[in-house]
Amino acid sequence: MKKHIYFFGKDMTEGDRSMKNILGGKGANLAEMTRIGIPVPPGFTISTEVCQEYYQNQNRIPQSLIEEINRNIRKLEELMNRRFGNPEKPLLLSVRSGAARSMPGMMDTVLNLGINPEVVDGLSRLSGNRRFALDVYRRFMQMFGDVVMGIDHELYEKALQKIKDENGYRLDTELTENDLQTLIDRYLKIYQAETHSDFPVDPMEQLLRAIEAVLASWNNPRAVKYRELNDIRGLIGTAVNIQTMVYGNLGESSGTGVAFTRNPATGEDVLYGEYLMNAQGEDVVAGIRTPMPIEELKTNSEMIYNQLQDIRTKLEEHYREMQDLEFTIQEGTLYILQTRDGKRTAYAAVTIAVDMVNQGLISREEALMRIDAKSLNQLLLPVFDESEEKKARVLTTGLPASPGAASGKIMFTAEDAENYILKQKENPAIQPEPVIMVRIETSPEDIGGMAVSSGILTARGGMTSHAAVVARGMGICCIAGAGDVRVDYHAKQMHIGSSILNEGDWISLNGTLGTVYAGRISSRPPELTGAFQKLMEWADEYRRLKIRTNADTPRDTAIAVNFGAEGIGLCRTEHMFFEGERVVSFRRLILVAERVKQLRAEMEKTINASERLKLENKLKVPLAQYNQALAELLPVQRSDFISIFKALKGRPATIRTLDPPLHEFLPKELDGQKEMSHAMDIPLGEIQEMVESLSEANPMLGHRGCRLGITYPEVTAMQVRAIIEAGLEVHAQDIKVNPEIMIPLVGHKQELKLQRDLTEKTIRDICLERKLDRVPFNILIGTMIEVPRAALTANEIAEHADFFSFGTNDLTQMGCGFSRDDAGRFLNDYVKLGIYEYDPFQVLDQDGIGLLVRLAVEKGRKEKPSLKIGICGEHGGEPRSIQFCHRTGLDYVSCSPFRVPVARLAAAQAAIKENVNE
Amino acid sequence: MKKHIYFFGKDMTEGDRSMKNILGGKGANLAEMTRIGIPVPPGFTISTEVCQEYYQNQNRIPQSLIEEINRNIRKLEELMNRRFGNPEKPLLLSVRSGAARSMPGMMDTVLNLGINPEVVDGLSRLSGNRRFALDVYRRFMQMFGDVVMGIDHELYEKALQKIKDENGYRLDTELTENDLQTLIDRYLKIYQAETHSDFPVDPMEQLLRAIEAVLASWNNPRAVKYRELNDIRGLIGTAVNIQTMVYGNLGESSGTGVAFTRNPATGEDVLYGEYLMNAQGEDVVAGIRTPMPIEELKTNSEMIYNQLQDIRTKLEEHYREMQDLEFTIQEGTLYILQTRDGKRTAYAAVTIAVDMVNQGLISREEALMRIDAKSLNQLLLPVFDESEEKKARVLTTGLPASPGAASGKIMFTAEDAENYILKQKENPAIQPEPVIMVRIETSPEDIGGMAVSSGILTARGGMTSHAAVVARGMGICCIAGAGDVRVDYHAKQMHIGSSILNEGDWISLNGTLGTVYAGRISSRPPELTGAFQKLMEWADEYRRLKIRTNADTPRDTAIAVNFGAEGIGLCRTEHMFFEGERVVSFRRLILVAERVKQLRAEMEKTINASERLKLENKLKVPLAQYNQALAELLPVQRSDFISIFKALKGRPATIRTLDPPLHEFLPKELDGQKEMSHAMDIPLGEIQEMVESLSEANPMLGHRGCRLGITYPEVTAMQVRAIIEAGLEVHAQDIKVNPEIMIPLVGHKQELKLQRDLTEKTIRDICLERKLDRVPFNILIGTMIEVPRAALTANEIAEHADFFSFGTNDLTQMGCGFSRDDAGRFLNDYVKLGIYEYDPFQVLDQDGIGLLVRLAVEKGRKEKPSLKIGICGEHGGEPRSIQFCHRTGLDYVSCSPFRVPVARLAAAQAAIKENVNE
């Protein structure tokens, strides 16, 4: 028969840390700690396979398991010299969930199992503390009712509040033995009323039902949601840890706490944590009482503190990772209840990894592999503009629970926050406004709202409260335990001192300092320094892929170069047309270009010579206007390119010619059309007609990309001229330039050939005008590979291309056949149903679109071995996709400026992985 | 030096019929006829290479050519014993264009070159007919002015009309010598006024300028348009034929005519043609005088008639093809001026090909290869419902110039016809209404209008008039020379007897009989009989591809089976939802499906148990409505399938589950929304909200195809149930059924797997309900391959598919990245610029999309050798694409019912070509 249970306890430990998959992280580490001599209350772990069986077995515990549980209880009783359910020497147990990957607070826990009125009496005698025994029973009843029986926990809390109110108490600790006895009686009534049955007194019944509750909690909606949000996949279920209870609430020499072997916010190499004396563990985690910093423990009990320090060192040397511990002090004796790799901010992760290399604990490769590349984004969250921050009005300060800086509009519930963000997403025209969620404290139900918030502020809770832990995990700025804040959910208001802030008011949080400001503060990009810089240097040593950036402005270019970008992989010239006065020139161009095109087409069809002459005359005015608009745009484009070339200082710049359909430049709403009519002195009707005539059934598959350049070759020529003239000007200032002209949306080699010919002709024209033999810098001409047909015929296209750049956004849209704008209606279902493992717009679909990429690389390089190949879709900043690019032999990836460090690390990780696999 | 000129004349002929590319069709055949002893006036041909040089040489004739012309003129003078420009023995010449492929009337011709006042005198003496000589000069002046100098021909016609009016003449032949002299003087004035120069008298100048005019006419807009419309490509230019003039207008023993060696309308094996005595060739072709049937010639001159019959036999035996001749009788002597393969109706083509096989002239393979598969469409034009036609009011009759039957709205100009059709195309919602173009006579300028018309009616002109020839070429029904018809272009009216018909009125033409009816007559599909049936039988012997049809109704199915379809390749079930009452049920389904989906999604996100309960209650009503709507649709779908299975009698039927996005079923216009609101008793606002919420940015890439089946599995299940239940019912009636269930828009194997699992489960459910072990007929489950990703991962998809069917419409849209609805803005330019050789929606893009098809076939068959593979995009009925399907090893093509014979022939041609190449 298969082994379902693994015991842990002095010299009898069956598991170890390698068995996470079947013992869960918690169970495996309890066993491991026991093995290396850390004081752990003994117990046993029911394997995750049982959870799988439970679900396969119509949610029933297999009979054989019950016998195995019984055998292990006996073992435990012997080891502890106590008996489960025996009033004389009662053994009390905790039942905790624990999957192979940590999901804090998501699944169920039941403490103090094995207690009943008789055991209360025995426990009173043994501890000499009847109040304690009654409190244990009361807590157990409440937890069992809530967790196992699903009774609304508010019923218990109301009863507790009521007895406090009746006696005028403020704290639970003021309750007397009699109060507790009354409360127990009231709890019993609640239980009976809600379940129509008596509260179970049989310890074995308590245990089995608690185990079932833990198993069932694996698939509760919030656990499922958590796994979804945190991308946790492939686990078979949770293990169940049954462990001897120890008590931190046995008086002032008892206590409980959590600790990190290093600072999880900064990475600093010190013991870090919080504790509460005379409290049970749940009191700390739930954030209900604000705990003390761990350094205070030195004053409180130096011995325990030193013991913790020793354990810290032992664990770090053993695990070679920063650990997150839970401990309980029972009447002066320290017990470790849990250890696991500590969650940390990305900042801390980087600091710890670099420190551990310096301390000889791990290698550089290990350090690089240990950082979640995606998480580096967090280090690149903007920081507040210092001068503005100095001038801002400080409302209060709280604990710096998760670093970063955020301004946003106040929302008081997760639902409000989610709805607010959702509403904005539905209307892409409006400038998006971030949300700061303000709560008294957060609970697992708030996860959805936290995920969409830019910052979180709580009135209660410490550095390890729910809000703090989750915010750090998500990389969201958080200030916790800001005690001055009084929240009135009903009025949707908060009071801080004399200030009243309403829903929708702006506040700003500096999560690194813990400062809360009134109003909005501008932010600026951060710098790469210290450990982060070191890590990036190591990454650069390992990676083979070059990293470029997608940038359209000198500002973005400078930011990206600062983050290590080695050039621009995508400069979208159309963004340059949207700004200020230019849009007027560009709209004029659109209006007349269409007219010119129509007249030219008419002329082509006209046989009659006098008709042709008439048309030629008709063409004169619009043609002049067309050329005029082009002439207006040329200098502004040129000056844009000049600034960008200067910012790049010789690094290559891939500049894409006009891409979006022309109707995107025209206002869709009446107000905008009226404004345009006024600004351009053109009748409204004419503008509306143009908007109508340019509108498309499927703009994604419409008149855009090089198709524009082919029907309006003058626009391409103007853009090429702007690039070359800018290059010449910058080159004359002794700054190197390295432009790469990129033709978008090519599907057929002839398209590229026509645009290339036009480009080369324009360059020759400029040389003739300026009496140059040739342009004195290198110019590449290449294309996006973003239409499936282009990938399929990459060999033919390579004939006319110096480089390829994969536009994987469009390649995904066309290759998978779904538009990003519309896929929302089904793509979530698709990911949920496992059709696509990840949203293919987030993570490159390697099995499908990846085939097109591989095919194009292969065919392109076969035709032209020197072909330079990169990627400039958003996948270029996504670590899994970057690994794919590395494996596929691309030369570079290009991503948004803030993703450049992510890409540097991911590229290094890809190279290291490859070496490992070789 | 390169040879530019090829002489033809007794024993001195330099060219032959194999030299079409450089001599043009006309020149090559003049040489060939001379070689085989047919009486041809001698002359010489300037090669097409000269035309190419002319365009390369800034539209100038090379000097060397002039010398070569001079040498050949000398040769001709010797052979004819006449001298060019010599009044004593004048040699007059014609200059005619002639490309490698015939373009009747598209390029320029100048007759009677070498005449001037002195030559007129000489010609008068020689012919003893001064009036004739003056008429020759008058004609030459008019033609030269119009064709060479571009003078508006109306100026000449007005002058001609004026002199007739002054003298009260009706016919040109009434003009006296004096009148002609006056007219010549007036023509000279017109020439001087328009060109500010004197009319050229030097014969060599006349000749060179005429040659230039012919060369220039190669690229005149109407010639370019003709090549475009007739898909004539790859020619380098026109040849120029300079030939000794012969005269059909030398009195009553002279004449001119055109003849076909077989009837070009019916294919009947008789000499067929028309002639006019005392006339020049242009008089016949232009359709100005109505000529006599060729049989009359027997009475007129039996010798000439018999000579023509001999020539007919000689030419057919020599060319093994039906020939189209031009002849002139000069004072009792017959000359053949041209022969070429005769244009014919598709009906005639089939008859001739089959007859020629029976006569031992050609082989079956040749017969099959000789028919343009596309042209068979013409044989499948509907014919009038006989009972309706009997009752219809006959307006008049004319010549049955091109067979077929058409009803349509009267338009009097090409432009009106084009605009009317264009306007309709822009609004796909309205039921399209065909056009009948009515003209006094047509001219090459009318080609665009003729191409969009369903029928053509002319008041003047014979069976070989411009209207007749072009209509037959285009396969458009035409009645010519309907003399009762009086057209008033100005009033946009026509009078037939006492009837007045206006623009926009309906008329009907029976082009096979020549009958014109008032009003509209219903039509029905034709039958395959006689030669056509025989040809199809031969095709079936050769072809390897199976031919299926795209049909959604029992009626279409029956038509297609009648045309030889071997099954249904695509049955679009959504068309079934649009009819009558069903659309109400389906719209109800859409409205509640969305609500059900929303509530289910909300439930999934809700953690709180009581909230869930609330949602469950909320869900009850819409869920009941959803099921109700499905229950309403099930029986109607079932009965549709029953009729289709019965019509197929055991032939396979590929039935596609719901494909289009749901918003297509909702009315977009306010009126329709109001109607829907009224019919369904739902507030208008709610309907508008639904329309709004379902609208998509790129519907082509939106929530459609199997994506619907995945989010609304109940709909797929209902459709599968309808198919299987229908199959069981038909099977119980001892009729075989062979359903193939096809899942659309699959891009990922998981999509197909989910829909297949659902389909199989539904089938099992039906078996359980009916206590069947299994369904008693074979069911295949397969998928469309229409998303590029599906083609790329065809091996994975084949795991779950019994068959593939290429949806090449969507595959083209997604693979090339352009939407059919929007590509109009650039695709014409693309074809014109040669980026794509053909519109890829018309002819499969073999180099690009074809790669995807080949890849999918290869990968699919590798995974599953038994995989059945077909194509059901519109390319399935296009001959070039069918050849590709054959070469790629597909099992079948599926096309619209009326294209089935086209496909049968094209499939045979593909197989024959393959054998030839082997």
Side-chain angles (χ1 to χ4, degrees), chain B residues 545-561:
Chain B
L545 279 171
K546 294 218 176 283
I547 312 296
R548 294 199 188 183
T549 190
N550 300 349
D552 317 331
T553 63
R555 184 175 177 276
D556 280 0
T557 308
I559 292 171
V561 166

Side-chain angles (χ1 to χ4, degrees), chain A residues 315-331:
Chain A
L315 284 175
E316 275 217 346
E317 281 177 358
H318 189 70
Y319 283 99
R320 301 164 70 241
E321 245 300 18
M322 185 265 256
Q323 294 296 298
D324 164 2
L325 317 175
E326 284 179 25
F327 62 88
T328 286
I329 309 160
Q330 180 172 298
E331 294 178 319

Side-chain angles (χ1 to χ4, degrees), chain B residues 17 261-262 312-323 341 344 352-353 356 360-364 366-367 370:
Chain B
R17 67 168 161 176
T261 56
R262 304 192 184 211
R312 169 188 172 232
T313 311
K314 199 168 189 175
L315 284 174
E316 275 216 345
E317 279 177 0
H318 188 71
Y319 283 98
R320 301 165 69 239
E321 243 302 18
M322 186 266 255
Q323 294 296 299
D341 291 351
R344 64 206 82 177
I352 291 169
M356 285 191 167
L361 280 171
I362 59 174
S363 69
R364 283 185 184 185
E366 279 177 295
R370 202 170 259 190

Side-chain angles (χ1 to χ4, degrees), chain A residues 594 597 604 694 697-701 707 711 748 751 789 815-817 819 822 825 829-830 832 835 845, chain B residues 594 597 604 694 697-701 707 711 748 751 789 815-817 819 822 825 829-830 832 835 845:
Chain A
E594 187 56 22
K597 186 176 170 249
E604 223 167 277
L694 286 177
N698 296 285
M700 179 56 51
L701 305 176
R707 297 162 195 171
T711 47
H748 196 292
E751 293 174 305
R789 195 187 187 284
C816 293
S819 127
D822 304 308
R825 289 181 56 80
D829 286 348
Y830 266 47
K832 212 175 293 162
I835 295 174
D845 160 37
Chain B
E594 189 54 23
K597 184 174 170 250
E604 223 167 276
L694 285 177
N698 296 285
M700 180 56 51
L701 305 176
R707 297 163 195 170
T711 48
H748 196 293
E751 293 174 306
R789 195 187 187 284
C816 293
S819 125
D822 304 308
R825 289 182 56 79
D829 286 347
Y830 267 47
K832 212 174 295 163
I835 295 174
D845 160 37

Side-chain angles (χ1 to χ4, degrees), chain A residues 221-222 225 445 594 597 604-607 612 693-703 706-707 710-712 745 747-748 750-751 754 787-790 792-793 796 813-819 821-822 825-826 829-830 832-836 845 847-849 851-852 855 859, chain B residues 221-222 225 445 594 597 604-607 612 693-703 706-707 710-712 745 747-748 750-751 754 787-790 792-793 796 813-819 821-822 825-826 829-830 832-836 845 847-849 851-852 855 859:
Chain A
R222 68 167 192 258
K225 181 107 187 166
E445 276 91 351
E594 187 56 22
K597 186 176 170 249
E604 223 167 277
K605 275 189 286 186
T606 304
I607 294 171
R612 285 176 69 88
S693 95
L694 286 177
S695 77
E696 296 184 300
N698 296 285
M700 179 56 51
L701 305 176
H703 194 196
C706 69
R707 297 162 195 171
I710 284 168
T711 47
Y712 307 117
L745 214 73
H748 196 292
Q750 283 300 324
E751 293 174 305
L754 285 170
V787 173
R789 195 187 187 284
L792 291 162
T793 60
E796 298 178 359
Q813 296 198 87
M814 295 177 196
C816 293
F818 33 70
S819 127
D821 294 328
D822 304 308
R825 289 181 56 80
F826 54 88
D829 286 348
Y830 266 47
K832 212 175 293 162
L833 288 167
I835 295 174
Y836 284 93
D845 160 37
D847 301 333
I849 304 309
L851 287 181
L852 276 178
L855 200 69
K859 288 189 165 195
Chain B
R222 71 167 191 258
K225 181 106 187 170
E445 276 91 352
E594 189 54 23
K597 184 174 170 250
E604 223 167 276
K605 277 190 287 187
T606 304
I607 294 172
R612 285 177 67 90
S693 94
L694 285 177
S695 76
E696 295 183 300
N698 296 285
M700 180 56 51
L701 305 176
H703 193 195
C706 69
R707 297 163 195 170
I710 285 168
T711 48
Y712 307 116
L745 213 74
H748 196 293
Q750 283 300 324
E751 293 174 306
L754 285 170
V787 173
R789 195 187 187 284
L792 291 162
T793 60
E796 297 177 358
Q813 296 198 85
M814 295 177 194
C816 293
F818 33 69
S819 125
D821 295 327
D822 304 308
R825 289 182 56 79
F826 54 88
D829 286 347
Y830 267 47
K832 212 174 295 163
L833 289 167
I835 295 174
Y836 284 93
D845 160 37
D847 301 334
I849 304 309
L851 286 181
L852 276 179
L855 199 70
K859 287 189 164 192

Side-chain angles (χ1 to χ4, degrees), chain A residues 448-496:
Chain A
M450 296 170 81
V452 300
S453 297
S454 301
I456 293 155
L457 171 62
T458 67
R460 281 195 270 181
M463 289 296 283
T464 51
S465 64
H466 179 265
V469 170
V470 172
R472 280 199 296 273
M474 291 179 171
I476 297 165
C477 156
C478 174
I479 297 175
D484 289 350
V485 172
R486 279 177 303 127
V487 178
D488 180 344
Y489 289 133
H490 186 71
K492 300 210 170 183
Q493 263 186 356
M494 70 168 164
H495 298 249
I496 306 181

Side-chain angles (χ1 to χ4, degrees), chain B residues 765-783:
Chain B
D765 287 349
I766 295 170
C767 288
L768 277 175
E769 288 161 20
R770 305 196 172 202
K771 301 193 173 38
L772 294 169
D773 277 348
R774 52 179 296 278
V775 173
F777 47 83
N778 199 26
I779 304 163
L780 298 186
I781 304 172
T783 183

Side-chain angles (χ1 to χ4, degrees), chain A residues 262-302:
Chain A
R262 302 191 186 212
N263 184 320
T266 66
E268 197 188 349
D269 187 10
V270 293
L271 182 65
Y272 182 89
E274 298 164 326
Y275 72 104
L276 272 172
M277 294 312 279
N278 199 14
Q280 272 208 339
E282 301 299 301
D283 300 340
V284 182
V285 176
I288 291 168
R289 282 161 60 190
T290 302
M292 320 274 285
I294 200 109
E295 298 82 48
E296 303 281 322
L297 189 56
K298 205 168 3 178
T299 337
N300 223 308
S301 164
E302 197 172 356

